[in-house]
């Protein structure tokens, strides 16, 4: 028990500089190398972290994120290797420039979590084999994963912009089509009005011509009738016998 209680400090097995890594998901940074330790914060996917070292017996790494310090499951940490990002594996710590470290809770919590609420429960997490019971656990923040990532938000915003642009373009095209239809409708109406006016004018002209012809015929008939009447009167006057003055026909 004394040996178990002496687990107190993070000591690098070999001196090496910290390596730069990246989180592959929205993952919890915890106060120890196990999901049984309290979570300190959530590291967003794709965020760079500084890797101070990883354990050789369990797949957890000690990292710094902004001003915080904690442990992240190695299943969610990548490093740059030959211009590619690769997952960290214990067999390749040396080749990736990652030191192998050990974890002891006492001084680690004293140095980094003294002001945290869970610090007063540190005795509960003491024990050399505590984190080894969590050897195969993975620690991924599913709640944060369900939240929209920044790139997803940007893609969604870009899609909305494209949708607005297409809608405006469609509206402009629809307005242009409506304007063209209105102009065509007005032009057709004007042409129909012109044709109607022309037909009405032609009809009026024909009506006037018929009226004039009828008037001419009527005048001609009246003239013929007057001439015949004059001729008849003239003939009657010629047939009437003439009487000399003093004749009996005048009596």
């Amino acid at each position: 028990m004394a040996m178990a209680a002496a687990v107190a400090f993070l000591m690098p097995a070999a001196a090496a500089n910290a390596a730069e890594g990246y989180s592959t998901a929205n993952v919890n940074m915890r106060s120890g190398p196990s999901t049984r330790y309290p979570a300190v914060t959530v590291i967003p996917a794709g965020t760079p972290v500084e890797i101070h070292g990883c354990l050789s017996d369990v797949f957890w790494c000690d990292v710094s994120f902004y001003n915080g310090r904690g442990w992240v499951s190695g299943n969610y940490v990548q490093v740059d290797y030959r211009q590619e990002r690769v997952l960290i594996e214990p067999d390749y710590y040396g080749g990736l420039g990652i030191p192998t470290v050990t974890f002891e809770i006492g001084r680690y919590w004293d140095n980094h979590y003294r002001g945290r609420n869970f610090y007063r429960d540190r005795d509960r997490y003491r024990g050399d084999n505590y984190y080894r019971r969590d050897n195969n656990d993975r620690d991924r923040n599913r709640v944060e994963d369900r939240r929209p990532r920044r790139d997803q938000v940007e893609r969604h915003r870009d899609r909305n912009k494209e949708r607005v642009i297409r809608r405006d373009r469609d509206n402009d095209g629809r307005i242009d089509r409506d304007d063209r239809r209105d102009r065509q409708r007005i032009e057709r109406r004007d042409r129909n009005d012109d044709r109607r006016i022309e037909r009405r004018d032609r009809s009026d002209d024909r009506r006037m011509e018929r009226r004039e012809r009828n008037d001419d015929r009527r005048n001609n008939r009246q003239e013929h009738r007057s001439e015949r009447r004059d001729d008849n009167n003239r003939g009657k006057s010629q047939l009437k016998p003439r009487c000399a003055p003093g004749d009996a026909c005048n009596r």
Side-chain angles (χ1 to χ4, degrees):
M1 294 297 294
M3 292 296 295
V7 184
F9 185 56
L10 179 67
M11 297 180 298
N17 294 327
E20 184 178 6
Y22 304 90
S23 63
T24 61
N26 297 320
V27 63
N28 286 315
M29 183 174 73
R30 295 188 176 272
S31 54
S34 169
T35 56
R36 294 179 174 86
Y37 287 97
V40 178
T41 187
V42 175
I43 302 176
T47 304
V49 295
E50 188 176 358
I51 304 173
H52 300 282
C54 298
L55 298 174
S56 60
D57 48 356
V58 292
F59 199 16
W60 284 77
C61 297
D62 178 28
V63 301
S64 292
F65 172 64
Y66 287 103
N67 295 325
R69 185 78 174 263
W71 291 84
V72 174
S73 173
N75 294 294
Y76 301 104
V77 180
Q78 288 181 330
V79 295
D80 290 327
Y81 180 71
R82 294 181 180 178
Q83 299 181 350
E84 292 184 1
R85 289 187 180 181
V86 297
L87 287 172
I88 299 174
E89 294 185 9
D91 294 338
Y92 304 108
Y93 285 168
L96 297 175
I98 299 172
T100 301
V101 296
T102 59
F103 172 71
E104 293 180 347
I105 190 172
R107 290 186 182 177
Y108 193 88
W109 279 34
D110 289 342
N111 292 334
H112 303 297
Y113 306 131
R114 188 177 292 273
R116 296 277 183 167
N117 292 331
F118 55 78
Y119 178 77
R120 60 177 176 267
D121 298 328
R122 61 190 180 280
D123 292 337
R124 169 185 165 191
Y125 299 100
R126 292 183 184 276
D128 188 35
N129 294 322
Y130 184 81
Y131 65 84
R132 288 186 173 86
R133 291 177 295 176
D134 195 32
N135 191 16
N136 295 322
D137 280 358
R138 292 189 175 187
D139 190 17
R140 181 169 180 171
N141 192 295
R142 303 294 178 180
V143 176
E144 290 294 330
D145 283 345
R146 286 193 293 270
R147 295 179 182 175
R149 292 168 52 182
R150 180 177 300 176
D151 54 348
Q152 293 175 347
V153 173
E154 291 178 355
R155 285 198 299 270
H156 183 68
R157 188 181 299 115
D158 293 339
R159 284 196 296 269
N160 286 337
K161 288 181 180 178
E162 293 175 357
R163 191 178 300 112
V164 170
I165 292 172
R166 286 196 302 270
R167 185 182 62 192
D168 293 341
R169 190 165 53 242
D170 293 339
N171 290 334
D172 293 339
R174 191 178 302 108
I175 292 172
D176 292 338
R177 289 193 298 272
D178 293 340
D179 291 340
R180 284 197 300 271
R181 281 197 294 267
D182 291 339
R183 287 196 298 270
Q184 292 172 357
R185 190 180 301 110
I186 292 172
E187 290 175 357
R188 285 196 301 270
R189 186 179 60 190
D190 292 339
R191 286 196 299 270
N192 292 332
D193 291 339
D194 293 338
R195 294 192 188 99
R196 192 178 302 108
I197 292 171
E198 290 177 358
R199 287 196 298 270
R200 187 175 59 193
D201 291 341
R202 286 196 298 270
S203 177
D204 292 339
D205 292 339
R206 287 194 295 270
R207 190 179 300 108
M208 291 297 295
E209 290 176 357
R210 285 196 299 270
R211 184 180 302 165
E212 290 176 356
R213 285 197 299 271
N214 292 332
D215 291 340
D216 291 339
R217 291 192 189 99
R218 190 179 301 109
N219 292 331
N220 290 332
R221 285 196 297 271
Q222 289 177 358
E223 289 177 358
H224 289 311
R225 193 177 296 113
S226 298
E227 289 177 356
R228 284 198 302 271
R229 188 170 53 248
D230 293 340
D231 291 340
N232 291 332
N233 292 332
R234 191 179 301 111
K236 289 179 181 180
S237 62
Q238 290 177 357
L239 294 175
K240 186 177 180 180
R242 294 181 179 180
C243 295
D247 291 341
C249 61
N250 290 329
R251 296 177 183 174

